[in-house]
Structures are given as C-alpha cells and as structure tokens.
Amino acid sequence: MAYTNLRVHLIWSTKDRKPLIADEFQEDLYAYIGGILRKRKHVLLAAGGIADHIHLLVGMHPTQTIADCVRDLKSNSSVWVHEHFPKLKMFQWQTKYGAFSVSESSVDSVMAYIANQKEHHKKLTFQEEFLAILRKHGIQFDPRYVFE
C-alpha cells in the first residue's frame, strides 16, 4: 500500500486564448471535470478561471500520471462542450499546460487563489499570470514557445 498526498495545481487555456468558457456553463464544466477525476480516483479540490483559461487543484491518485490525467481531462471536457453547446464547435484547449506541485501547507492559499480568478484577472492577463507562475516555481522557459 502506498501513502501519498499528491496535490497538483493544473493550468491551461483555450486554444489561442479565445474567451469561450462562458459564465453560463463554467460551473457545469467544472462539475464535469470533477466527475472525470473521480472516475480515475483523483479528487477535484478547487476549480476556477475565466473565459480563456482554467485552474484546477487536484488531489492525484498515484496510479495515473499527470500527463495522462490532463490528456483525459482535456479530451473528455472538449467533447462535453461540443455535445452540450453546439455553437462552440470551435472550442479546443491549448496543447500545453502547467502542472505545479502544492504542499499541504499551501493548499488553502492555492484554493483561495483559484477562487479569486475573476478579480485577479482585472489586473493581469492569462499570459502574464502564467509566466509569473513559471518564474515562481523556478521553471526555465523560452517565452517564444510557452503559448503555442
């Protein structure tokens, strides 16, 4: 038996950062994503974002990799959007994503950060926010390729 506490802050945007995540279905999208996670033995601890991107705080089960989890979330949630909102046939997620480990002592502050996305983005764009998070976590990157 493994004893784990794997908390991961996941972030990604819509393709080309198009503002396609409407307030009218945002909470339903998060609930659907929570269901995908539960089926894979993960736990959705927090979800938030604005029209062009999403933040998730996930309690990961050790049997699935982060890459596989994100792939499943993106593909299944895209299908859900297309089925429930036919006018959004152009809806896609960007290819890249960010995944950041979160210590148990930081869970509350990350949850508050995710809950405060609408207010936060009155001051910063998604691009500015994402680059700041990469820097905060000491991740090396070439800004020319971050948002492909």
Side-chain angles (χ1 to χ4, degrees):
M1 172 179 228
Y3 298 99
T4 63
N5 184 1
L6 307 171
R7 309 292 189 220
V8 180
H9 181 186
L10 300 172
I11 308 168
W12 64 82
S13 79
T14 57
K15 185 171 177 72
D16 300 323
R17 286 151 311 284
K18 292 180 182 170
L20 298 174
I21 306 170
D23 287 342
E24 299 83 59
F25 72 86
Q26 198 174 57
E27 291 303 318
D28 290 337
L29 175 63
Y30 301 154
Y32 185 77
I33 286 171
I36 296 167
L37 289 165
R38 277 190 303 281
K39 285 182 182 177
R40 288 153 181 81
K41 301 180 184 176
H42 307 300
V43 178
L44 179 61
L45 302 170
I50 60 172
D52 68 349
H53 72 282
I54 190 168
H55 289 256
L56 305 171
L57 180 58
V58 178
M60 297 285 300
H61 192 273
T63 58
Q64 187 178 35
T65 67
I66 293 170
D68 287 346
C69 178
V70 171
R71 181 202 62 227
D72 290 350
L73 292 174
K74 286 181 176 184
S75 63
N76 285 294
S77 62
S78 289
V79 168
W80 180 86
V81 169
H82 295 153
E83 288 176 352
H84 289 83
F85 304 94
K87 291 181 180 177
L88 293 177
K89 285 295 180 199
M90 77 297 283
F91 182 91
Q92 290 180 280
W93 296 114
Q94 76 176 75
T95 303
K96 296 185 178 183
Y97 64 92
F100 309 95
S101 59
V102 177
S103 68
E104 188 62 31
S105 61
S106 297
V107 165
D108 288 342
S109 63
V110 173
M111 289 176 79
Y113 179 81
I114 291 172
N116 198 31
Q117 281 293 294
K118 286 184 176 38
E119 191 63 30
H120 180 72
H121 283 289
K122 290 179 181 176
K123 300 173 191 158
L124 288 175
T125 66
F126 167 71
Q127 293 93 322
E128 292 166 334
E129 173 192 45
F130 194 74
L131 294 177
I133 292 171
L134 291 174
R135 288 182 189 104
K136 179 181 177 182
H137 286 272
I139 296 173
Q140 299 286 320
F141 63 92
D142 184 333
R144 295 176 296 174
Y145 304 112
V146 173
F147 299 107
E148 291 182 312

